[in-house]
Amino acid sequence: MKNNKNILKFTKISGNINSKEITLMEVIKMKKYIINLIPFGIAAICLVAFNMIGSEILSDGTLVEPFYLIPIAWMFFFMGIVGLGIRGIISYKTKLLKKL
């Protein structure tokens, strides 16, 4: 058992009750990565919405489709990549500083 002030005890309730000690820093790290994954979810929602709405051709021959959802999805996808890249660089630098 660790003697650390930043330890929180979480209980997992299934058939039996087990206690697992997780440090506060581990909880914060998990939340940071979840926040960086949100843009990927929004991009997926945009693409699903584009496919569900569909497109149609009017009687005068014009195409009506929600084309704006495609660039928005790509924008959120690249935002997610940049966010994860920045988070990875910050995590790498933090690990290097802890070793020193």
Side-chain angles (χ1 to χ4, degrees):
M1 183 180 260
K2 297 179 183 177
N3 292 329
N4 193 352
K5 292 180 183 177
N6 292 334
I7 293 179
L8 300 175
K9 288 189 177 181
F10 294 97
T11 58
K12 178 181 175 185
I13 299 175
S14 54
N16 54 2
I17 297 177
N18 298 324
S19 66
K20 181 179 179 185
E21 294 180 357
I22 299 176
T23 63
L24 184 59
M25 291 304 295
E26 289 174 353
V27 172
I28 292 172
K29 284 180 187 178
M30 287 186 277
K31 287 183 181 180
K32 287 180 183 177
Y33 285 109
I34 290 173
I35 289 172
N36 287 327
L37 294 176
I38 290 173
F40 291 112
I42 295 173
I45 289 170
C46 287
L47 293 175
V48 167
F50 176 79
N51 287 323
M52 288 181 67
I53 293 171
S55 58
E56 60 180 286
I57 298 175
L58 297 179
S59 60
D60 63 346
T62 57
L63 178 64
V64 177
E65 65 179 355
F67 181 74
Y68 59 90
L69 290 173
I70 296 172
I72 291 173
W74 279 105
M75 180 187 69
F76 277 109
F77 179 74
F78 287 121
M79 284 173 54
I81 289 175
V82 169
L84 285 176
I86 290 171
R87 172 57 50 207
I89 291 170
I90 290 171
S91 296
Y92 181 72
K93 285 185 176 183
T94 304
K95 287 180 184 179
L96 283 178
L97 289 176
K98 283 184 180 180
K99 288 182 180 179
L100 297 177

